[in-house]
Each structure stands twice: as C-alpha cells, then as structure tokens.
Amino acid sequence: MSITSILFAVFGLSFLIFIHELGHYFVARWAGMKVEVFSVGMGKPIISWKHKGVKWQICYLIFGGYVKIAGMEGENGKEPHQVRNGFYSKKPLYRILVAAAGPAVNIVFALFVFAGIYFYGGQDKPFAQFTKVVGQVDQESSIYEEGVRAGDRIVSVNNQAYNGFRDIFYQGMLKKNDSMNIVVDKRGEGEVISKVSFYTPKNTLFTQKEYKTMGILAPASYAIYTGDAENKYQSTLANAGIKKGDRIVYVDGSVIYSTSQMQDVISRDVALVTVDRDGEKIHLQVPRILLGDLKLSDEQRDEFVDYKREMDLEGAIASTYFIPYLVSEGLYVTEELFLIESDEVSQDLHVLKKGDKILAVSGEKVSSSEDFYKAISERKCLVMVSSSDRNHSRWTNTDKDFLQDLDLDAISSMENQLGSDEITAQGKYRFLRSTKPVTNLEFYEQQDPDKLKQVKELVDQETFSQWVNKQTIFSNAKIADEKVVYNPNPFAMMRDLINDFIFSLKNLLTGSISPKHMSGPIGMIKLVHDSSKSSMITGVYWLGMISLNLAFMNLLPIPMLDGGHICFTLYEMGTKKRIKAKTMQKLIFPFFAMIVMFFIYITFYDIVKFFS
C-alpha cells in the first residue's frame, strides 16, 4: 500500500471531522455559548492546551472528534436550560443553527470539492460504470430464453429508466422481486419487452451464494491491451502479435462486448470451424469432445488410430480431442457421432450438417483430412483486434461511441476471409495469429506458485479445480476498459449522492441491505486510499462524497447526534416544555449503546474485508 495514499486517506477523513466540529465551534461562540472542549480525535489526549477558556486536545483515535458545549446534558444537579451560557439556555433558533453548523460545513465542503472537479474537467471513470449495453448473458437464464444477447441495450427496468448495471445488481441483492419487466433495444431490431426471473447462477467461481441475478452477468466493457506485466513471461496475446492500444473485438466467432464474455468464450472447449454450406461460407463454434466419450464402431476407431499414428500425436486414442462428426477425405461432413451416455442429438453439440465442406479451423485453411484432424486435436483461439485511436468520450455518449467503434459489417467482412488462401487487414481490423490458451495451473506453476496455494486455501476443492483448469489467453496480459470523462455539474452530482444515501438508508432500515455491506472508518480509509492511488482527483471526489454522507448521517434524528439535538429543540418549540436532564439521559444512553455496537460491527467487517 502507498504511504502517500494512506496518509492522504487518514488525514483526509480526520480533516472532514475537524471542519465539522469547527462549524459547531464558531457558531456556538457566535451564539454566546460556552465551549469547554474542542477535541480532535477520541480517547486519551496526546497533547492538550488552553486558549480563550477552551481546552484544545489531540487524541490517539483520530477518526472522531467533538466539541463539548456547556449544559448539553445538564451539570451539577442543574437542568440543561439552567446552565449559564449553556447550549439549552439559548434561544431555540441559535441551538438549531449550532447543531446544523457541522453538517452545513460538510455540505459546503462537498459542494466546493465537486465544483473544483467540475472546473478541472471531471474524472476519468471506466466505461462499464455508465453503459446500458449488455456485456454478458447467462445461457441458463430466462432472459437468454427471451432472446436478450450481449450487445443489446437495456432501456428500462420495471417502467423506470435504466441507469446502468448497478440497477440490476441492486435489484438482485435486495431480493424484492422474483421477476421484473425490462425493455431491451436489440441492435438493429428495435425495442422488445420481456418478463424475466431472478435466480442464483450456477458454476460461477468466487461468488457469494446469496447473489441473485436475472441473467445479465456483466455490463459491456472495452477489452484494450495495455501491455504485459513486467516479468520474463510473454503472454499468449503478445506472442500472437497484439500491440498496445489494440481493442479485442472478436474471439472464435463471437463479437466481444465485455471482458467477462470474452473469457467465457475462451474457456469453452470449442473449435471455430469455417464451412461451405450450399455455396455460403459460415463460421461455427463446434464443441471438441474426447474420442473416448463418443460412440465409435471398431472400424471408426481403427481409422482414428491410423490418423493418429500418421500425425504422430501422443497419448491414448481415448484422450484425443475431436468433434462429434465423421469427415471424409474430401473434408465433407458425412455422419454425426453420439455421446456414449446418450442417443439423442444435442443442439449444443451438433451445429454442423451432413454435406458441409470444411474450409478452415481457427482461421487456418485445411486441405486434407490429416490437416483437419491435427488442427482439431489442439485448442486454439482466433482473435480479431481493432487498432483505432480512441479519444475519451463523455459519460453521456458512452454507448453511441462504444457501438460505433464495433463496425459489425467490417468484422463480418474480415470473418468471411477465413478459409481463403490469404487474409488481409481491412482498415483498423486485423486478425492475430491463432494462439493456444493456457490454464491457470500452467501459468501460475511457472510464475507464482504461492498464488495457487493461496487460492486453494480460500475455496473448496471443486471451485479450485474449476479455476486451475480454466483456460485463458490473458495470463500476464493487461486488459483494460476504456475511460470516459464523467463531469456532471456539482448540483447534479450532489443530487445523485443524496438519492444514493436515501436509497441505502431506506433499505438498511427495512433489512434489505445488511449493515456488513457498509463501510466504517477502516473501510473508508481503504476506499480513499485505493481511489487516490489510481487518481488523486478520484481520491478527492471520495472525500467530498464521504463529507456529504457525514453531514446527512449527523442530521438523522438520533439522540447524541446533531439531528437529535435539533429534534429536542423542535419538541420544545412545539410543546413549550423543557426536556429534563434525566429524560435526555434515558433517551441518549440506549442510542449511544446502539451506535457503539453498530460501530464495532461494521469495523469488524471492515477488517474482515480488508484481509480477505
């Protein structure tokens, strides 16, 4: 962790509390109230001094602070209003101003921060944070059955405007509905309305069991290669001829709309087979199956043994990969093969048809059955990239720029060159050399064996087995999303944050959100630290956001907080009755205990999240 970022986070949060208390202090002195103590931090003082009758002190626990004004709880047997120059001895309007001064300073500071960011030119944020384009769809979901695919654009959810993937994530996390209505703009086909159900996805590595989704697993994102990590290992992408700044737009027959969708395509054990079907060239993802899992006659098995010997392939015949079809010497598909445990034709397995003429595998032209068998025996990925220069777009134009940068006609034209004698680049699009993916096990055994041990200790054996055998072409390659310029006006930024605060508070009180998902001081320090490491302007933004949340938290009508003192004063104004010290203490004590327990609870989960 960066020392500079840690200091920025620690002193930044302390500064927010300091200016909050400073607001109380100055307005209290203006109102003629007696300020007894101004404390920066909580607990035992490190240093203290007196100035103008006020004890100033700095304490060990700097994540806190307070201003002690005479008479806030009564003293020496006197009622609060009887204390000379005490808080409750002053007019109600003065009391409200003093209590509101701290939150007001935090609000003004937040507005100042947001205005500074606005005039600075905004922040660079990931495209995926703002897009409405779908990045990946689970094929087991009802939304997939409704025809929604990666590249479609969500217009609304339950008759409310859709603002991004966070809307869907929250709906699944809150578990308020078993289903919802969505309006989807299918690219080139117009809008369709679908009713989809929530479910817990299966076989998703490293996700919490309580996580629910309607089938959209990720928002759209760019997949831009920014180089290899700095070590001796050269990634498979670098070996395939990728250059810094290239955007991956196509893998094995699929146009790429997100990095998670791309990894899903790569992890499938398929071969991209180009065929001539009735004079039309088509490109299909054909599953690779172990020959040992296919029903073969003795004659067929002997034929494969001969081919295997001629191609000098190692290993037993049963452990050799093939596709569920027989192919003639002339590369025509002649017969479908079945899995041993099933006599039924699976549409997921059988995508070729009898009579198809095979032209290429993974983009490489094949001219004989020997070429074909050898090509199909090894998993390779075919990747197309775009080398265009992209300028940061505004967050309001994200989807338009993203989709325009994916020229489907040009991509299709490039794809139709597969099976030709020569494949040439077209404009900004070009194919990389087909490349063999590696498993996590192969990569980490060479580069970071300790990582394997760490993951194995964190997850169960089944999950670990899935992870180590997962194939990828990204090992050691750095793939980044595009940045967009986020720069709403300061008041719009504050409006959005206030709506988020109300949303979170409402769902916290109703039990829809667990308090363990909130952040205490440690979590906030980590948040500011992490964001300031990527960009100081982002770190400053989070300080502004925390300042605004600090203001509204303190305005909640809870005894002991600023909002509680305002409520006591409003009660007095409405009833014309003073609140007695004993009544005040009875109200404050249970809420004090509750706040302390809540603080301990979220701090515990902060620590758990920090170390895990």
Side-chain angles (χ1 to χ4, degrees):
M1 298 180 73
S2 164
I3 296 297
T4 303
S5 297
I6 291 173
L7 292 175
F8 173 77
V10 171
F11 287 105
L13 290 176
S14 300
F15 174 76
L16 297 182
I17 297 169
F18 173 73
I19 63 174
H20 177 98
E21 300 303 335
L22 209 59
H24 291 313
Y25 171 79
F26 280 119
V27 177
R29 293 296 295 262
W30 169 80
M33 296 178 184
K34 180 183 177 182
V35 179
E36 297 177 337
V37 180
F38 189 110
S39 178
V40 178
M42 307 288 285
K44 186 178 180 180
I46 303 172
I47 186 174
S48 64
W49 67 95
K50 280 239 178 184
H51 180 68
K52 292 185 179 181
V54 180
K55 181 184 178 183
W56 296 76
Q57 62 186 33
I58 299 175
C59 302
Y60 284 99
L61 299 175
I62 61 173
F63 311 122
Y66 61 91
V67 170
K68 184 180 178 183
I69 301 173
M72 293 198 78
E73 300 175 13
E75 53 188 58
N76 299 325
K78 295 180 181 178
E79 292 296 329
H81 66 275
Q82 295 174 334
V83 178
R84 179 180 172 80
N85 292 328
F87 180 81
Y88 283 97
S89 69
K90 298 300 180 180
K91 294 179 180 179
L93 178 60
Y94 285 175
R95 283 180 256 157
I96 291 174
L97 290 175
V98 171
V105 169
N106 284 126
I107 292 171
V108 170
F109 175 78
L111 186 60
F112 175 79
V113 166
F114 298 151
I117 293 173
Y118 177 77
F119 289 110
Y120 174 80
Q123 307 170 68
D124 287 344
K125 291 198 171 188
F127 160 80
Q129 191 170 329
F130 301 97
T131 182
K132 299 176 184 178
V133 177
V134 176
Q136 184 186 7
V137 182
D138 188 348
Q139 296 184 19
E140 302 297 322
S141 64
S142 63
I143 198 170
Y144 187 86
E145 293 176 359
E146 291 285 336
V148 177
R149 298 291 185 269
D152 294 342
R153 188 171 182 272
I154 299 179
V155 178
S156 66
V157 177
N158 279 348
N159 300 318
Q160 294 184 348
Y162 177 69
N163 297 308
F165 182 70
R166 190 178 67 165
D167 289 357
I168 292 176
F169 179 77
Y170 279 160
Q171 289 287 343
M173 185 175 71
L174 298 178
K175 303 176 187 176
K176 285 187 173 181
N177 305 305
D178 292 326
S179 63
M180 64 167 53
N181 293 316
I182 65 167
V183 176
V184 178
D185 181 9
K186 295 187 67 63
R187 197 170 181 185
E189 298 179 22
E191 295 182 1
V192 296
I193 302 174
S194 301
K195 184 173 183 178
V196 297
S197 302
F198 282 101
Y199 70 104
T200 301
K202 299 177 182 178
N203 300 323
T204 304
L205 296 179
F206 310 124
T207 56
Q208 296 179 350
K209 291 181 180 179
E210 67 221 37
Y211 171 69
K212 297 185 76 174
T213 178
M214 66 180 190
I216 297 177
L217 299 182
S221 62
Y222 287 81
I224 299 172
Y225 175 74
T226 60
D228 278 4
E230 296 178 357
N231 58 39
K232 296 179 181 179
Y233 185 91
Q234 189 171 27
S235 70
T236 52
L237 279 175
N239 284 325
I242 200 168
K243 298 177 182 178
K244 285 186 178 181
D246 282 348
R247 175 187 177 184
I248 300 172
V249 297
Y250 170 102
V251 176
D252 289 341
S254 296
V255 177
I256 298 303
Y257 291 96
S258 71
T259 52
S260 60
Q261 175 218 3
M262 177 168 55
Q263 179 55 61
D264 180 60
V265 172
I266 293 165
S267 63
R268 298 174 195 164
D269 206 345
V270 298
L272 179 64
V273 179
T274 301
V275 302
D276 184 322
R277 179 178 292 172
D278 299 328
E280 180 185 0
K281 187 185 289 186
I282 59 176
H283 316 277
L284 301 164
Q285 292 180 356
V286 183
R288 296 169 68 245
I289 309 292
L290 287 172
L291 282 172
D293 293 334
L294 293 171
K295 288 182 178 179
L296 300 174
S297 67
D298 292 339
E299 183 181 347
Q300 290 168 344
R301 186 174 297 276
D302 291 340
E303 186 177 346
F304 281 119
V305 169
D306 291 339
Y307 278 125
K308 188 175 176 64
R309 187 182 300 113
E310 290 174 13
M311 292 182 289
D312 199 25
L313 296 176
E314 297 179 356
I317 186 71
S319 59
T320 302
Y321 278 95
F322 197 61
I323 57 174
Y325 301 91
L326 289 182
V327 179
S328 71
E329 289 286 345
L331 293 175
Y332 286 93
V333 176
T334 59
E335 186 180 344
E336 293 179 338
L337 299 174
F338 299 93
L339 293 174
I340 289 175
E341 68 270 14
S342 175
D343 290 328
E344 296 181 2
V345 176
S346 169
Q347 294 302 315
D348 293 332
L349 292 179
H350 293 260
V351 292
L352 297 179
K353 292 183 178 180
K354 292 180 181 180
D356 286 346
K357 171 69 181 293
I358 295 174
L359 304 176
V361 177
S362 298
E364 298 176 358
K365 186 177 180 180
V366 292
S367 55
S368 67
S369 54
E370 289 86 352
D371 289 345
F372 171 70
Y373 288 149
K374 191 166 187 176
I376 216 75
S377 67
E378 186 176 50
R379 171 76 171 110
K380 285 190 175 182
C381 293
L382 182 65
V383 177
M384 187 193 304
V385 297
S386 161
S387 58
S388 64
D389 294 327
R390 286 167 295 275
N391 297 317
H392 286 7
S393 60
R394 289 178 62 81
W395 82 104
T396 52
N397 299 326
T398 52
D399 292 344
K400 179 182 176 183
D401 293 344
F402 176 84
L403 294 173
Q404 281 184 347
D405 196 44
L406 279 176
D407 188 336
L408 297 185
D409 291 336
I411 292 173
S412 178
S413 178
M414 278 291 297
E415 185 181 48
N416 282 333
Q417 293 188 66
L418 299 180
S420 304
D421 292 327
E422 186 178 354
I423 299 175
T424 58
Q426 292 196 6
K428 62 184 182 180
Y429 296 101
R430 75 181 194 281
F431 278 113
L432 304 181
R433 293 184 293 275
S434 60
T435 182
K436 180 182 177 181
V438 297
T439 64
N440 284 326
L441 180 62
E442 292 169 333
F443 175 74
Y444 286 108
E445 276 185 337
Q446 293 184 44
Q447 299 300 313
D448 193 357
D450 290 339
K451 172 86 170 187
L452 291 174
K453 296 178 182 177
Q454 291 170 7
V455 175
K456 191 170 185 178
E457 291 172 357
L458 287 172
V459 299
D460 58 63
Q461 183 58 43
E462 183 181 354
T463 303
F464 179 73
S465 179
Q466 290 181 54
W467 179 74
V468 294
N469 291 310
K470 205 171 186 67
Q471 296 187 106
T472 180
I473 57 174
F474 303 140
S475 292
N476 213 49
K478 295 184 287 186
I479 305 294
D481 194 5
E482 183 62 278
K483 299 291 186 181
V484 297
V485 179
Y486 175 65
N487 196 26
N489 70 66
F491 296 102
M493 203 178 298
M494 290 190 72
R495 178 201 62 211
D496 292 342
L497 290 172
I498 291 170
N499 288 337
D500 284 347
F501 177 84
I502 294 171
F503 172 84
S504 299
L505 181 63
K506 176 183 174 183
N507 287 287
L508 184 66
L509 293 175
T510 58
S512 298
I513 294 178
S514 170
K516 69 182 180 182
H517 296 304
M518 299 183 68
S519 292
I522 294 175
M524 287 188 283
I525 286 175
K526 188 175 187 304
L527 178 66
V528 176
H529 165 271
D530 292 347
S531 57
S532 62
K533 276 185 70 176
S534 61
S535 164
M536 189 55 69
I537 198 73
T538 304
V540 171
Y541 164 80
W542 281 106
L543 280 182
M545 189 214 72
I546 292 170
S547 183
L548 194 64
N549 278 270
L550 182 65
F552 288 113
M553 285 292 291
N554 273 279
L555 287 173
L556 293 176
I558 296 175
M560 211 181 90
L561 298 182
D562 299 330
H565 292 296
I566 293 173
C567 285
F568 287 154
T569 302
L570 292 175
Y571 172 82
E572 183 182 316
M573 291 173 66
T575 63
K576 307 300 181 184
K577 295 180 181 179
R578 305 271 193 180
I579 298 179
K580 294 183 178 181
K582 286 185 177 180
T583 304
M584 198 176 293
Q585 290 171 0
K586 288 179 180 179
L587 288 170
I588 288 175
F589 180 77
F591 282 98
F592 174 77
M594 181 186 71
I595 289 173
V596 170
M597 290 174 65
F598 181 76
F599 177 82
I600 293 172
Y601 181 84
I602 60 174
T603 300
F604 170 77
Y605 277 100
D606 273 351
I607 295 171
V608 170
K609 286 181 281 188
F610 182 85
F611 285 104
S612 64

